[in-house]
Every structure is written in C-alpha cells, then in structure tokens.
C-alpha cells in the first residue's frame, strides 16, 4: 500500500469519525471488546499460552503489549510496535496466534510470538480493505466479523488459520426503523449461534449465525425511545442467556436483555441498571458472577453482581476510580484481573485485582503508560 493511498484513507476515516461524533456527542471513542475482554475467536499458527494484554493507541499510532504477571504488567519485547496508522479496534484469536487491528480503511494482522512480541504477518499488507468501527471473531476461529462504517452492513471474512489472511465471504445488510445508524460494537455470542451489533442512537440488532454455512440472518431489534440515548457496547454471558448493553444518555446505564428462542430479546425487570456517565465498555469476569462497566465521562468503572434473572446489584465500593476517559475493559486469562484502558491517560492502563474479603470488589493493583504521552489508549485486547 502506498503512503498516498494510506493518507487518503486516513482522511476519509477522520471525516467519518467527525460525523459520528457530531451525531452522538464528543467523547465516545471506538473500542474493541473481545470475548468481553478484548478479543474473540479461534486459531492459527502455533498456539501461544502467555497471559497478555495488547493496547491500541490511537494518538501514538501504535500497539503496546504487556505480559500480565502476579500484580505486574511487563512490556513485551519491541513494545510499543509502530503501526503507521491510527488503530480503531482490535481482537485476538482464541489460541492467541494472531492479533487483528482495524485502521482507517483496512484490517491488518500480526503474529503473536512466544515472547508476546508482535510481527506483521502477510508482509505487513492489509488483509482486508474495509472501513469499520469494531471487529470480533467467532469462537471456532473460522470467521471474523466487522461493523461497517460506510454502509449499513456486517462485513464477514473467513480466516486462514495458518497465515491469518482474511477472505471476504459476504457483506450482510441490515435494516432498522425510525432511527439513525451509528455503528459502535459487534459481538459474537460465546456459542457462536448469534451475532449482536450496537448502533448508537439506532439501538441494537440480533442475527442468527450458521457456523457451518456462514449465513447471517437478522432476527431481532432493540429500538431506543430517545434520540439522546446511545447504545455503545455489548457483551454476552457464557451461556448466551443474557445480552448486556452499555447505554448512555437519557435512561442510560447497563441494559440487560434475556436472549430467547431464535434470538428474541426481552428486557429484564429493572433494566437499565444505574451506571456512571457514558458507559462505553463492558466485561464479565471469568466466573460469570460479576460485570463491570467503564464510565467514560466519570473516569470510573462500575461493578455489579449478576443476580437471578440477570438483574444487577452494585458492588461494594463501586464505582472504582480509573484513568481519564476510560474506554475499554478486559479480563485476563487467569481470571485474577480486570484491565482498563483510558484515552486521556493518568494512567493509560490500569489493572485491578479482586478484593479478598468482598467478592467482586476491585482494588487497583498496578498501572502503566502504554507509550510516550499522549498515547490515546482506546482499546485493550486480551489473550485467552
């Protein structure tokens, strides 16, 4: 790819971001959320068992990698890795072989080496030419889904699990009624049977997914009742029983929906549950007992116990202080830590441990910079 073509794509991407910001209010940044911990999907070239976090820095145009130790974050070799473009979203394969990063007009893939360092795969060339706001990978590792910024569609790719290369399979259009589409997030259910998308003021859509044929079919829609309400991020519990939505604006909070037969969505009693200002990212801990929301305007993380029927109750001490404009959450592969990336830094990346006496309560364990400030940390993608 020539520097000129990259420059043109960057201009287009910046124009799109400006339009989206005007529609939804400043401060909402695109972010990945992988299996609700910054990644998704399945595998390719060798398998990697390291417990790692990869932070995409939109201002510094790089990705910083860290090994998660016992209360420590240690930079991987050659971190941060210069990208040459502004990253917008990221996701890891479930066998931890590849990291996919979406930039302006393209998706790139990086091999995750045994020491956690990254190497540009496919000679550094883009593996897909598409302008997207979010990506996720199916649990079987065969499919990558991307939420298109240019058209009302989900872009779908098959994954070469040896090289990480992507092959375009379909662009599935979707339709909504009486709303403005603002593409925010895409999430594949843990079992692979459904794909959910958050469309900002446009609400949310559910699709059934055939993991054998790759066919997507729209099955349900959530319509918001106010133009000042925005659905920004999604996560799904491990049994695909509940869909959780980070909702900002009028009647905002963490919205919870029961996922019924065929993907029908029904609001849980008491939903949405109170959060801070502009919840923008969600993650469920590995036990499935607790869920956390990043509040971008408050610079805090709200924590909840997941009760009977999906209802949420605020945890002791919640909300917990985080970095400025916190925007992405991830859970580490050991289930011991929750990580939070903050666009405004102070710090860029925070790591919380679980309180020994109060179940689910978060305590700050350590924090780190993700490069030379300002980095603009917008997403954290965790290995599995």
């Amino acid at each position: 790819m020539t520097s000129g073509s990259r420059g043109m794509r960057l201009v287009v991407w910046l124009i799109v971001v400006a339009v989206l910001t005007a529609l939804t209010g400043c401060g909402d940044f695109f972010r990945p959320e992988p299996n609700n911990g910054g990644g998704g999907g399945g595998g390719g070239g060798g398998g990697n068992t390291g417990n790692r976090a990869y932070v995409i820095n939109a201002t510094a145009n790089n990705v910083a990698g860290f090994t998660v130790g016992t209360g420590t974050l240690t930079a991987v070799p050659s971190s941060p890795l210069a990208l040459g473009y502004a990253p917008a979203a990221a996701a890891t394969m479930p066998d931890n072989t590849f990291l996919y990063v979406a930039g302006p007009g393209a998706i790139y893939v990086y091999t995750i080496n045994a020491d956690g360092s990254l190497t540009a795969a496919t000679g550094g060339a883009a593996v897909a030419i598409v302008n997207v706001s979010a990506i996720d990978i199916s649990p079987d590792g065969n499919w990558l889904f991307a939420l298109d910024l240019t058209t009302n569609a989900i872009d779908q790719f098959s994954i070469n699990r040896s090289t990480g290369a992507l092959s375009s399979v379909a662009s599935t259009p979707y339709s909504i009624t009486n709303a403005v589409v603002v593409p925010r997030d895409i999430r594949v259910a843990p079992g692979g049977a459904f794909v959910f998308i958050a469309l900002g003021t446009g609400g949310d859509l559910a699709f059934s997914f055939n993991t054998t044929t790759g066919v997507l079919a729209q099955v349900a829609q959530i319509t918001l009742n106010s133009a000042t309400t925005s659905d920004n991020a999604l996560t799904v519990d491990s049994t695909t029983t509940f869909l959780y939505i980070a909702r900002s604006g009028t009647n905002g909070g963490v919205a919870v929906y029961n996922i019924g037969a065929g993907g029908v969505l029904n609001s849980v009693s008491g939903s949405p549950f109170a959060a801070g200002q502009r919840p923008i990212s969600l993650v469920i801990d590995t036990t499935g007992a607790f869920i956390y929301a990043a509040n971008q305007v408050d610079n805090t993380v709200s924590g909840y116990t997941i009760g009977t029927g999906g209802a949420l109750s605020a945890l002791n001490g919640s909300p917990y202080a985080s970095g400025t404009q916190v925007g992405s959450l991830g859970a580490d592969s050991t289930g011991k830590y929750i990580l939070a990336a903050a666009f405004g830094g102070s710090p860029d990346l925070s790591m919380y441990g679980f309180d020994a006496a109060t179940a689910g309560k978060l305590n700050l364990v350590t924090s780190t910079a993700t490069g030379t400030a300002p980095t603009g940390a917008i997403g954290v993608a965790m290995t599995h």
Side-chain angles (χ1 to χ4, degrees), residues 145-147 152-154 172 174-176 181 183-188 195-200 202-207 218 220 222 231 233-234 243 245:
F145 298 92
L147 190 55
N152 290 356
I154 296 173
T172 303
Y174 57 80
S175 60
I176 63 172
V181 171
R184 289 295 192 192
D185 195 22
I186 188 165
R187 185 68 48 233
V188 185
V195 176
F196 301 95
I197 60 175
L199 300 172
D204 312 87
L205 293 175
F207 298 78
Q218 187 173 322
I222 297 172
D231 281 359
L234 308 162
L243 171 68
I245 302 172

PDB file of all heavy atoms in Angstrom, residues 145-147 152-154 172 174-176 181 183-188 195-200 202-207 218 220 222 231 233-234 243 245:
ATOM      1  N   PHE A 145     -15.880 -10.934  11.956  1.00  0.00           N
ATOM      2  CA  PHE A 145     -16.989 -10.038  11.640  1.00  0.00           C
ATOM      3  C   PHE A 145     -16.560  -8.601  11.909  1.00  0.00           C
ATOM      4  O   PHE A 145     -15.865  -8.318  12.887  1.00  0.00           O
ATOM      5  CB  PHE A 145     -18.212 -10.368  12.509  1.00  0.00           C
ATOM      6  CG  PHE A 145     -18.747 -11.751  12.288  1.00  0.00           C
ATOM      7  CD1 PHE A 145     -18.311 -12.810  13.072  1.00  0.00           C
ATOM      8  CD2 PHE A 145     -19.686 -12.008  11.298  1.00  0.00           C
ATOM      9  CE1 PHE A 145     -18.791 -14.091  12.874  1.00  0.00           C
ATOM     10  CE2 PHE A 145     -20.170 -13.283  11.090  1.00  0.00           C
ATOM     11  CZ  PHE A 145     -19.730 -14.339  11.880  1.00  0.00           C
ATOM     12  N   ALA A 146     -16.980  -7.691  11.036  1.00  0.00           N
ATOM     13  CA  ALA A 146     -16.621  -6.287  11.174  1.00  0.00           C
ATOM     14  C   ALA A 146     -17.858  -5.431  10.943  1.00  0.00           C
ATOM     15  O   ALA A 146     -18.667  -5.711  10.047  1.00  0.00           O
ATOM     16  CB  ALA A 146     -15.531  -5.919  10.171  1.00  0.00           C
ATOM     17  N   LEU A 147     -18.008  -4.384  11.761  1.00  0.00           N
ATOM     18  CA  LEU A 147     -19.158  -3.490  11.658  1.00  0.00           C
ATOM     19  C   LEU A 147     -18.780  -2.322  10.755  1.00  0.00           C
ATOM     20  O   LEU A 147     -17.958  -1.479  11.119  1.00  0.00           O
ATOM     21  CB  LEU A 147     -19.562  -3.006  13.048  1.00  0.00           C
ATOM     22  CG  LEU A 147     -20.889  -2.261  13.169  1.00  0.00           C
ATOM     23  CD1 LEU A 147     -22.050  -3.071  12.607  1.00  0.00           C
ATOM     24  CD2 LEU A 147     -21.165  -1.907  14.630  1.00  0.00           C
ATOM     25  N   ASN A 152     -24.681   0.215   5.820  1.00  0.00           N
ATOM     26  CA  ASN A 152     -25.393  -0.489   6.890  1.00  0.00           C
ATOM     27  C   ASN A 152     -25.260  -1.990   6.658  1.00  0.00           C
ATOM     28  O   ASN A 152     -26.161  -2.649   6.128  1.00  0.00           O
ATOM     29  CB  ASN A 152     -26.861  -0.078   6.916  1.00  0.00           C
ATOM     30  CG  ASN A 152     -27.057   1.345   7.391  1.00  0.00           C
ATOM     31  OD1 ASN A 152     -26.103   2.013   7.780  1.00  0.00           O
ATOM     32  ND2 ASN A 152     -28.292   1.817   7.374  1.00  0.00           N
ATOM     33  N   ALA A 153     -24.111  -2.521   7.064  1.00  0.00           N
ATOM     34  CA  ALA A 153     -23.835  -3.926   6.787  1.00  0.00           C
ATOM     35  C   ALA A 153     -22.815  -4.481   7.767  1.00  0.00           C
ATOM     36  O   ALA A 153     -22.035  -3.735   8.380  1.00  0.00           O
ATOM     37  CB  ALA A 153     -23.320  -4.100   5.361  1.00  0.00           C
ATOM     38  N   ILE A 154     -22.824  -5.796   7.903  1.00  0.00           N
ATOM     39  CA  ILE A 154     -21.788  -6.532   8.620  1.00  0.00           C
ATOM     40  C   ILE A 154     -20.889  -7.167   7.569  1.00  0.00           C
ATOM     41  O   ILE A 154     -21.363  -7.908   6.697  1.00  0.00           O
ATOM     42  CB  ILE A 154     -22.396  -7.618   9.528  1.00  0.00           C
ATOM     43  CG1 ILE A 154     -23.255  -6.992  10.626  1.00  0.00           C
ATOM     44  CG2 ILE A 154     -21.289  -8.473  10.147  1.00  0.00           C
ATOM     45  CD1 ILE A 154     -24.012  -8.016  11.452  1.00  0.00           C
ATOM     46  N   THR A 172     -23.359  -8.454   4.782  1.00  0.00           N
ATOM     47  CA  THR A 172     -24.767  -8.680   5.088  1.00  0.00           C
ATOM     48  C   THR A 172     -25.438  -7.375   5.488  1.00  0.00           C
ATOM     49  O   THR A 172     -25.135  -6.816   6.542  1.00  0.00           O
ATOM     50  CB  THR A 172     -24.923  -9.711   6.218  1.00  0.00           C
ATOM     51  OG1 THR A 172     -24.269 -10.931   5.838  1.00  0.00           O
ATOM     52  CG2 THR A 172     -26.384  -9.977   6.505  1.00  0.00           C
ATOM     53  N   TYR A 174     -28.230  -4.734   6.909  1.00  0.00           N
ATOM     54  CA  TYR A 174     -29.243  -4.778   7.957  1.00  0.00           C
ATOM     55  C   TYR A 174     -30.150  -3.572   7.817  1.00  0.00           C
ATOM     56  O   TYR A 174     -29.805  -2.583   7.169  1.00  0.00           O
ATOM     57  CB  TYR A 174     -28.601  -4.823   9.348  1.00  0.00           C
ATOM     58  CG  TYR A 174     -27.653  -3.688   9.661  1.00  0.00           C
ATOM     59  CD1 TYR A 174     -28.125  -2.437  10.057  1.00  0.00           C
ATOM     60  CD2 TYR A 174     -26.267  -3.874   9.578  1.00  0.00           C
ATOM     61  CE1 TYR A 174     -27.257  -1.403  10.355  1.00  0.00           C
ATOM     62  CE2 TYR A 174     -25.395  -2.839   9.882  1.00  0.00           C
ATOM     63  CZ  TYR A 174     -25.896  -1.604  10.266  1.00  0.00           C
ATOM     64  OH  TYR A 174     -25.031  -0.580  10.565  1.00  0.00           O
ATOM     65  N   SER A 175     -31.315  -3.672   8.433  1.00  0.00           N
ATOM     66  CA  SER A 175     -32.264  -2.564   8.368  1.00  0.00           C
ATOM     67  C   SER A 175     -32.767  -2.248   9.765  1.00  0.00           C
ATOM     68  O   SER A 175     -32.929  -3.141  10.601  1.00  0.00           O
ATOM     69  CB  SER A 175     -33.453  -2.919   7.467  1.00  0.00           C
ATOM     70  OG  SER A 175     -34.137  -4.055   7.964  1.00  0.00           O
ATOM     71  N   ILE A 176     -32.959  -0.955  10.036  1.00  0.00           N
ATOM     72  CA  ILE A 176     -33.545  -0.515  11.286  1.00  0.00           C
ATOM     73  C   ILE A 176     -34.678   0.446  10.959  1.00  0.00           C
ATOM     74  O   ILE A 176     -34.776   0.955   9.838  1.00  0.00           O
ATOM     75  CB  ILE A 176     -32.519   0.164  12.211  1.00  0.00           C
ATOM     76  CG1 ILE A 176     -31.974   1.445  11.559  1.00  0.00           C
ATOM     77  CG2 ILE A 176     -31.393  -0.782  12.569  1.00  0.00           C
ATOM     78  CD1 ILE A 176     -31.119   2.269  12.483  1.00  0.00           C
ATOM     79  N   VAL A 181     -28.421   5.321  12.240  1.00  0.00           N
ATOM     80  CA  VAL A 181     -27.406   4.302  12.489  1.00  0.00           C
ATOM     81  C   VAL A 181     -26.068   4.950  12.854  1.00  0.00           C
ATOM     82  O   VAL A 181     -25.573   5.807  12.132  1.00  0.00           O
ATOM     83  CB  VAL A 181     -27.215   3.417  11.241  1.00  0.00           C
ATOM     84  CG1 VAL A 181     -26.011   2.497  11.429  1.00  0.00           C
ATOM     85  CG2 VAL A 181     -28.464   2.607  10.977  1.00  0.00           C
ATOM     86  N   PRO A 183     -22.676   3.079  13.918  1.00  0.00           N
ATOM     87  CA  PRO A 183     -22.028   1.795  14.225  1.00  0.00           C
ATOM     88  C   PRO A 183     -21.069   1.898  15.405  1.00  0.00           C
ATOM     89  O   PRO A 183     -20.157   2.712  15.403  1.00  0.00           O
ATOM     90  CB  PRO A 183     -21.283   1.465  12.927  1.00  0.00           C
ATOM     91  CG  PRO A 183     -21.999   2.232  11.869  1.00  0.00           C
ATOM     92  CD  PRO A 183     -22.426   3.501  12.532  1.00  0.00           C
ATOM     93  N   ARG A 184     -21.278   1.056  16.418  1.00  0.00           N
ATOM     94  CA  ARG A 184     -20.479   1.119  17.642  1.00  0.00           C
ATOM     95  C   ARG A 184     -19.735  -0.180  17.945  1.00  0.00           C
ATOM     96  O   ARG A 184     -18.535  -0.184  18.136  1.00  0.00           O
ATOM     97  CB  ARG A 184     -21.386   1.453  18.827  1.00  0.00           C
ATOM     98  CG  ARG A 184     -21.910   2.888  18.830  1.00  0.00           C
ATOM     99  CD  ARG A 184     -20.787   3.866  19.008  1.00  0.00           C
ATOM    100  NE  ARG A 184     -21.280   5.198  19.302  1.00  0.00           N
ATOM    101  CZ  ARG A 184     -20.524   6.291  19.281  1.00  0.00           C
ATOM    102  NH1 ARG A 184     -19.262   6.195  18.983  1.00  0.00           N
ATOM    103  NH2 ARG A 184     -21.041   7.467  19.559  1.00  0.00           N
ATOM    104  N   ASP A 185     -20.461  -1.291  18.033  1.00  0.00           N
ATOM    105  CA  ASP A 185     -19.824  -2.510  18.530  1.00  0.00           C
ATOM    106  C   ASP A 185     -20.472  -3.731  17.899  1.00  0.00           C
ATOM    107  O   ASP A 185     -21.643  -3.699  17.498  1.00  0.00           O
ATOM    108  CB  ASP A 185     -19.956  -2.577  20.058  1.00  0.00           C
ATOM    109  CG  ASP A 185     -19.022  -3.601  20.692  1.00  0.00           C
ATOM    110  OD1 ASP A 185     -18.010  -3.965  20.053  1.00  0.00           O
ATOM    111  OD2 ASP A 185     -19.293  -4.040  21.820  1.00  0.00           O
ATOM    112  N   ILE A 186     -19.690  -4.809  17.815  1.00  0.00           N
ATOM    113  CA  ILE A 186     -20.192  -6.087  17.320  1.00  0.00           C
ATOM    114  C   ILE A 186     -19.693  -7.191  18.233  1.00  0.00           C
ATOM    115  O   ILE A 186     -18.548  -7.159  18.702  1.00  0.00           O
ATOM    116  CB  ILE A 186     -19.751  -6.329  15.861  1.00  0.00           C
ATOM    117  CG1 ILE A 186     -20.442  -7.568  15.282  1.00  0.00           C
ATOM    118  CG2 ILE A 186     -18.237  -6.418  15.731  1.00  0.00           C
ATOM    119  CD1 ILE A 186     -20.347  -7.654  13.761  1.00  0.00           C
ATOM    120  N   ARG A 187     -20.560  -8.151  18.535  1.00  0.00           N
ATOM    121  CA  ARG A 187     -20.203  -9.211  19.471  1.00  0.00           C
ATOM    122  C   ARG A 187     -20.792 -10.543  19.015  1.00  0.00           C
ATOM    123  O   ARG A 187     -21.980 -10.645  18.747  1.00  0.00           O
ATOM    124  CB  ARG A 187     -20.752  -8.877  20.866  1.00  0.00           C
ATOM    125  CG  ARG A 187     -20.352  -9.840  21.950  1.00  0.00           C
ATOM    126  CD  ARG A 187     -18.894  -9.792  22.284  1.00  0.00           C
ATOM    127  NE  ARG A 187     -18.449  -8.426  22.470  1.00  0.00           N
ATOM    128  CZ  ARG A 187     -17.407  -7.928  21.828  1.00  0.00           C
ATOM    129  NH1 ARG A 187     -16.732  -8.665  20.964  1.00  0.00           N
ATOM    130  NH2 ARG A 187     -17.035  -6.680  22.041  1.00  0.00           N
ATOM    131  N   VAL A 188     -19.926 -11.558  18.904  1.00  0.00           N
ATOM    132  CA  VAL A 188     -20.371 -12.911  18.598  1.00  0.00           C
ATOM    133  C   VAL A 188     -20.649 -13.618  19.923  1.00  0.00           C
ATOM    134  O   VAL A 188     -19.834 -13.573  20.840  1.00  0.00           O
ATOM    135  CB  VAL A 188     -19.308 -13.693  17.808  1.00  0.00           C
ATOM    136  CG1 VAL A 188     -19.848 -15.061  17.407  1.00  0.00           C
ATOM    137  CG2 VAL A 188     -18.874 -12.907  16.571  1.00  0.00           C
ATOM    138  N   VAL A 195     -25.000 -13.189  16.488  1.00  0.00           N
ATOM    139  CA  VAL A 195     -24.132 -12.021  16.387  1.00  0.00           C
ATOM    140  C   VAL A 195     -24.976 -10.806  16.734  1.00  0.00           C
ATOM    141  O   VAL A 195     -26.093 -10.650  16.213  1.00  0.00           O
ATOM    142  CB  VAL A 195     -23.546 -11.870  14.973  1.00  0.00           C
ATOM    143  CG1 VAL A 195     -22.727 -10.582  14.870  1.00  0.00           C
ATOM    144  CG2 VAL A 195     -22.676 -13.076  14.620  1.00  0.00           C
ATOM    145  N   PHE A 196     -24.475  -9.952  17.626  1.00  0.00           N
ATOM    146  CA  PHE A 196     -25.203  -8.763  18.067  1.00  0.00           C
ATOM    147  C   PHE A 196     -24.418  -7.515  17.672  1.00  0.00           C
ATOM    148  O   PHE A 196     -23.185  -7.509  17.716  1.00  0.00           O
ATOM    149  CB  PHE A 196     -25.397  -8.780  19.586  1.00  0.00           C
ATOM    150  CG  PHE A 196     -26.150  -9.987  20.088  1.00  0.00           C
ATOM    151  CD1 PHE A 196     -25.466 -11.110  20.537  1.00  0.00           C
ATOM    152  CD2 PHE A 196     -27.536 -10.001  20.101  1.00  0.00           C
ATOM    153  CE1 PHE A 196     -26.150 -12.223  21.002  1.00  0.00           C
ATOM    154  CE2 PHE A 196     -28.236 -11.106  20.562  1.00  0.00           C
ATOM    155  CZ  PHE A 196     -27.543 -12.222  21.005  1.00  0.00           C
ATOM    156  N   ILE A 197     -25.145  -6.463  17.291  1.00  0.00           N
ATOM    157  CA  ILE A 197     -24.477  -5.205  16.963  1.00  0.00           C
ATOM    158  C   ILE A 197     -25.156  -4.059  17.704  1.00  0.00           C
ATOM    159  O   ILE A 197     -26.366  -4.034  17.875  1.00  0.00           O
ATOM    160  CB  ILE A 197     -24.450  -4.922  15.447  1.00  0.00           C
ATOM    161  CG1 ILE A 197     -25.862  -4.823  14.853  1.00  0.00           C
ATOM    162  CG2 ILE A 197     -23.646  -5.983  14.724  1.00  0.00           C
ATOM    163  CD1 ILE A 197     -25.879  -4.434  13.376  1.00  0.00           C
ATOM    164  N   ALA A 198     -24.332  -3.098  18.152  1.00  0.00           N
ATOM    165  CA  ALA A 198     -24.822  -1.878  18.787  1.00  0.00           C
ATOM    166  C   ALA A 198     -24.652  -0.739  17.792  1.00  0.00           C
ATOM    167  O   ALA A 198     -23.569  -0.553  17.230  1.00  0.00           O
ATOM    168  CB  ALA A 198     -24.042  -1.583  20.070  1.00  0.00           C
ATOM    169  N   LEU A 199     -25.725   0.036  17.605  1.00  0.00           N
ATOM    170  CA  LEU A 199     -25.758   1.061  16.569  1.00  0.00           C
ATOM    171  C   LEU A 199     -25.980   2.451  17.140  1.00  0.00           C
ATOM    172  O   LEU A 199     -26.625   3.299  16.517  1.00  0.00           O
ATOM    173  CB  LEU A 199     -26.843   0.722  15.537  1.00  0.00           C
ATOM    174  CG  LEU A 199     -26.652  -0.620  14.818  1.00  0.00           C
ATOM    175  CD1 LEU A 199     -27.870  -0.944  13.967  1.00  0.00           C
ATOM    176  CD2 LEU A 199     -25.398  -0.596  13.960  1.00  0.00           C
ATOM    177  N   GLY A 200     -25.455   2.703  18.342  1.00  0.00           N
ATOM    178  CA  GLY A 200     -25.585   4.023  18.945  1.00  0.00           C
ATOM    179  C   GLY A 200     -27.036   4.412  19.117  1.00  0.00           C
ATOM    180  O   GLY A 200     -27.823   3.682  19.749  1.00  0.00           O
ATOM    181  N   GLY A 202     -29.200   4.245  17.020  1.00  0.00           N
ATOM    182  CA  GLY A 202     -30.011   3.308  16.240  1.00  0.00           C
ATOM    183  C   GLY A 202     -30.399   2.063  16.998  1.00  0.00           C
ATOM    184  O   GLY A 202     -31.090   1.196  16.439  1.00  0.00           O
ATOM    185  N   GLY A 203     -29.982   1.925  18.269  1.00  0.00           N
ATOM    186  CA  GLY A 203     -30.351   0.749  19.051  1.00  0.00           C
ATOM    187  C   GLY A 203     -29.457  -0.445  18.744  1.00  0.00           C
ATOM    188  O   GLY A 203     -28.250  -0.298  18.537  1.00  0.00           O
ATOM    189  N   ASP A 204     -30.060  -1.622  18.673  1.00  0.00           N
ATOM    190  CA  ASP A 204     -29.285  -2.851  18.546  1.00  0.00           C
ATOM    191  C   ASP A 204     -30.019  -3.851  17.659  1.00  0.00           C
ATOM    192  O   ASP A 204     -31.248  -3.828  17.559  1.00  0.00           O
ATOM    193  CB  ASP A 204     -29.067  -3.484  19.922  1.00  0.00           C
ATOM    194  CG  ASP A 204     -28.597  -2.480  20.952  1.00  0.00           C
ATOM    195  OD1 ASP A 204     -29.460  -1.821  21.574  1.00  0.00           O
ATOM    196  OD2 ASP A 204     -27.376  -2.331  21.114  1.00  0.00           O
ATOM    197  N   LEU A 205     -29.236  -4.753  17.052  1.00  0.00           N
ATOM    198  CA  LEU A 205     -29.807  -5.811  16.228  1.00  0.00           C
ATOM    199  C   LEU A 205     -29.189  -7.143  16.616  1.00  0.00           C
ATOM    200  O   LEU A 205     -28.017  -7.212  17.008  1.00  0.00           O
ATOM    201  CB  LEU A 205     -29.556  -5.552  14.742  1.00  0.00           C
ATOM    202  CG  LEU A 205     -30.250  -4.347  14.111  1.00  0.00           C
ATOM    203  CD1 LEU A 205     -29.779  -4.173  12.667  1.00  0.00           C
ATOM    204  CD2 LEU A 205     -31.767  -4.488  14.171  1.00  0.00           C
ATOM    205  N   ALA A 206     -29.990  -8.203  16.475  1.00  0.00           N
ATOM    206  CA  ALA A 206     -29.512  -9.567  16.699  1.00  0.00           C
ATOM    207  C   ALA A 206     -29.631 -10.350  15.399  1.00  0.00           C
ATOM    208  O   ALA A 206     -30.610 -10.196  14.653  1.00  0.00           O
ATOM    209  CB  ALA A 206     -30.322 -10.242  17.797  1.00  0.00           C
ATOM    210  N   PHE A 207     -28.633 -11.193  15.139  1.00  0.00           N
ATOM    211  CA  PHE A 207     -28.613 -12.039  13.954  1.00  0.00           C
ATOM    212  C   PHE A 207     -28.375 -13.483  14.379  1.00  0.00           C
ATOM    213  O   PHE A 207     -27.549 -13.746  15.256  1.00  0.00           O
ATOM    214  CB  PHE A 207     -27.484 -11.635  12.998  1.00  0.00           C
ATOM    215  CG  PHE A 207     -27.604 -10.245  12.451  1.00  0.00           C
ATOM    216  CD1 PHE A 207     -27.256  -9.148  13.224  1.00  0.00           C
ATOM    217  CD2 PHE A 207     -28.064 -10.033  11.158  1.00  0.00           C
ATOM    218  CE1 PHE A 207     -27.355  -7.852  12.724  1.00  0.00           C
ATOM    219  CE2 PHE A 207     -28.180  -8.749  10.654  1.00  0.00           C
ATOM    220  CZ  PHE A 207     -27.835  -7.657  11.423  1.00  0.00           C
ATOM    221  N   GLN A 218     -30.982 -11.567  10.164  1.00  0.00           N
ATOM    222  CA  GLN A 218     -31.471 -10.656  11.194  1.00  0.00           C
ATOM    223  C   GLN A 218     -32.727 -11.224  11.845  1.00  0.00           C
ATOM    224  O   GLN A 218     -33.666 -11.633  11.174  1.00  0.00           O
ATOM    225  CB  GLN A 218     -31.785  -9.293  10.562  1.00  0.00           C
ATOM    226  CG  GLN A 218     -32.141  -8.206  11.563  1.00  0.00           C
ATOM    227  CD  GLN A 218     -32.275  -6.842  10.894  1.00  0.00           C
ATOM    228  OE1 GLN A 218     -31.507  -6.519   9.983  1.00  0.00           O
ATOM    229  NE2 GLN A 218     -33.236  -6.045  11.335  1.00  0.00           N
ATOM    230  N   ALA A 220     -33.832  -9.938  15.421  1.00  0.00           N
ATOM    231  CA  ALA A 220     -34.434  -9.109  16.471  1.00  0.00           C
ATOM    232  C   ALA A 220     -33.844  -7.709  16.436  1.00  0.00           C
ATOM    233  O   ALA A 220     -32.733  -7.498  15.946  1.00  0.00           O
ATOM    234  CB  ALA A 220     -34.225  -9.738  17.850  1.00  0.00           C
ATOM    235  N   ILE A 222     -33.692  -3.936  18.925  1.00  0.00           N
ATOM    236  CA  ILE A 222     -33.993  -3.123  20.100  1.00  0.00           C
ATOM    237  C   ILE A 222     -34.067  -1.679  19.635  1.00  0.00           C
ATOM    238  O   ILE A 222     -33.098  -1.147  19.082  1.00  0.00           O
ATOM    239  CB  ILE A 222     -32.929  -3.274  21.198  1.00  0.00           C
ATOM    240  CG1 ILE A 222     -32.894  -4.712  21.718  1.00  0.00           C
ATOM    241  CG2 ILE A 222     -33.203  -2.305  22.350  1.00  0.00           C
ATOM    242  CD1 ILE A 222     -31.739  -4.975  22.672  1.00  0.00           C
ATOM    243  N   ASP A 231     -26.634   3.298  22.469  1.00  0.00           N
ATOM    244  CA  ASP A 231     -26.111   2.002  22.885  1.00  0.00           C
ATOM    245  C   ASP A 231     -24.709   1.851  22.306  1.00  0.00           C
ATOM    246  O   ASP A 231     -24.520   1.831  21.082  1.00  0.00           O
ATOM    247  CB  ASP A 231     -27.029   0.881  22.422  1.00  0.00           C
ATOM    248  CG  ASP A 231     -28.252   0.748  23.327  1.00  0.00           C
ATOM    249  OD1 ASP A 231     -28.356   1.506  24.308  1.00  0.00           O
ATOM    250  OD2 ASP A 231     -29.108  -0.122  23.052  1.00  0.00           O
ATOM    251  N   ALA A 233     -21.882  -0.405  23.561  1.00  0.00           N
ATOM    252  CA  ALA A 233     -21.074  -1.618  23.643  1.00  0.00           C
ATOM    253  C   ALA A 233     -21.936  -2.778  24.112  1.00  0.00           C
ATOM    254  O   ALA A 233     -22.986  -2.584  24.733  1.00  0.00           O
ATOM    255  CB  ALA A 233     -19.896  -1.417  24.585  1.00  0.00           C
ATOM    256  N   LEU A 234     -21.452  -3.994  23.816  1.00  0.00           N
ATOM    257  CA  LEU A 234     -22.213  -5.205  24.113  1.00  0.00           C
ATOM    258  C   LEU A 234     -21.325  -6.240  24.780  1.00  0.00           C
ATOM    259  O   LEU A 234     -20.115  -6.264  24.579  1.00  0.00           O
ATOM    260  CB  LEU A 234     -22.740  -5.835  22.810  1.00  0.00           C
ATOM    261  CG  LEU A 234     -23.508  -4.966  21.829  1.00  0.00           C
ATOM    262  CD1 LEU A 234     -23.538  -5.646  20.466  1.00  0.00           C
ATOM    263  CD2 LEU A 234     -24.926  -4.738  22.331  1.00  0.00           C
ATOM    264  N   LEU A 243     -27.973 -10.670  27.197  1.00  0.00           N
ATOM    265  CA  LEU A 243     -27.226  -9.654  26.454  1.00  0.00           C
ATOM    266  C   LEU A 243     -27.148  -8.413  27.331  1.00  0.00           C
ATOM    267  O   LEU A 243     -28.175  -7.925  27.817  1.00  0.00           O
ATOM    268  CB  LEU A 243     -27.943  -9.321  25.146  1.00  0.00           C
ATOM    269  CG  LEU A 243     -27.404  -8.126  24.343  1.00  0.00           C
ATOM    270  CD1 LEU A 243     -26.027  -8.441  23.780  1.00  0.00           C
ATOM    271  CD2 LEU A 243     -28.377  -7.735  23.237  1.00  0.00           C
ATOM    272  N   ILE A 245     -25.839  -4.372  27.622  1.00  0.00           N
ATOM    273  CA  ILE A 245     -25.578  -3.235  26.741  1.00  0.00           C
ATOM    274  C   ILE A 245     -25.163  -2.023  27.564  1.00  0.00           C
ATOM    275  O   ILE A 245     -25.829  -1.665  28.541  1.00  0.00           O
ATOM    276  CB  ILE A 245     -26.825  -2.885  25.911  1.00  0.00           C
ATOM    277  CG1 ILE A 245     -27.275  -4.098  25.083  1.00  0.00           C
ATOM    278  CG2 ILE A 245     -26.557  -1.681  25.010  1.00  0.00           C
ATOM    279  CD1 ILE A 245     -28.605  -3.898  24.381  1.00  0.00           C
TER     280      ILE A 245
END
